[in-house]
Amino acid sequence: MPHKYQVIHDLVCKADGRTFNIDHVVVGPTGVFSIETKYWKKPAGPDHRIFYDGKRILVDGHAPDKDPLIQAVAGARSVQAILEIRTGKRFDVKPVVVFLGWYTTRNPKYAPAWVLNEVAVPVFIKNDFRELSHDDGLL
C-alpha cells in the first residue's frame, strides 16, 4: 500500500469472553478496511475459482464448511467498535475476504463485503469512495 496508508497486522481482540484476531486492518484516505485472509489449497488446473454473489461464497461451486463472510463482517464490526471507543466517532469499516492464489469473480456493486485475491486488494482500496480526512483522527 502507498505510504498514505497504515496497516496493522494480526490485531488481537476480545469480545464476549473470547479472544480472536483480525488478520489485517488498513487505514488510509479511502477508508478503513478489515481484512480476513484465507489460504486454501487450490487444486491443480486453471479452472478453479471463488464465486461471490453478494450473499455467499462458493469454492469451485461448493459452500465452505465455515463461512468466511461471517468472520469478515464480525471483524469489521469489532474494528468499528474499537475506533468508536478510542475516537468517539463512528467509522464505516469495509469487510474484505482475501483468498490467496485464487481467481475470484467480480464483486457485486453493493455487496456488504469484498471477496478478492491478493492482487486486487490494493486496487479496490485505492479506488474506494469513502474518504477520510486528518480531522477524523485516524490519518
Side-chain angles (χ1 to χ4, degrees), residues 10-87:
D10 198 26
L11 178 64
V12 178
C13 303
K14 292 183 181 186
D16 301 325
R18 61 186 185 89
T19 302
F20 59 96
N21 83 305
I22 299 168
D23 294 332
H24 313 281
V25 177
V26 177
V27 180
T30 58
V32 182
F33 308 86
S34 175
I35 301 175
E36 181 61 37
T37 305
K38 297 296 179 193
Y39 180 73
W40 291 351
K41 187 163 175 80
K42 183 176 163 183
D47 295 329
H48 302 283
R49 62 190 63 222
I50 304 292
F51 172 80
Y52 175 53
D53 64 2
K55 295 179 183 165
R56 65 186 181 146
I57 292 173
L58 297 177
V59 180
D60 280 343
H62 303 285
D65 291 337
K66 290 185 179 180
D67 186 352
L69 287 173
I70 293 171
Q71 193 174 6
V73 169
R77 286 186 185 139
S78 296
V79 171
Q80 187 176 49
I82 291 166
L83 291 175
E84 191 168 358
I85 289 168
R86 297 200 180 221
T87 67

Side-chain angles (χ1 to χ4, degrees), residues 79-138:
V79 171
Q80 187 176 49
I82 291 166
L83 291 175
E84 191 168 358
I85 289 168
R86 297 200 180 221
T87 67
K89 298 178 184 178
R90 187 169 178 86
F91 294 94
D92 182 29
V93 179
K94 184 72 173 185
V96 183
V97 181
V98 177
F99 287 94
L100 301 174
W102 282 80
Y103 174 80
T104 57
T105 59
R106 188 174 193 152
N107 284 262
K109 191 169 187 172
Y110 298 105
W114 289 338
V115 176
L116 308 168
N117 63 24
E118 68 277 13
V119 175
V121 172
V123 174
F124 271 67
I125 287 175
K126 284 189 243 174
N127 292 321
D128 197 31
F129 297 109
R130 294 167 290 158
E131 195 166 322
L132 293 180
S133 72
H134 286 283
D135 293 339
D136 290 319
L138 296 179

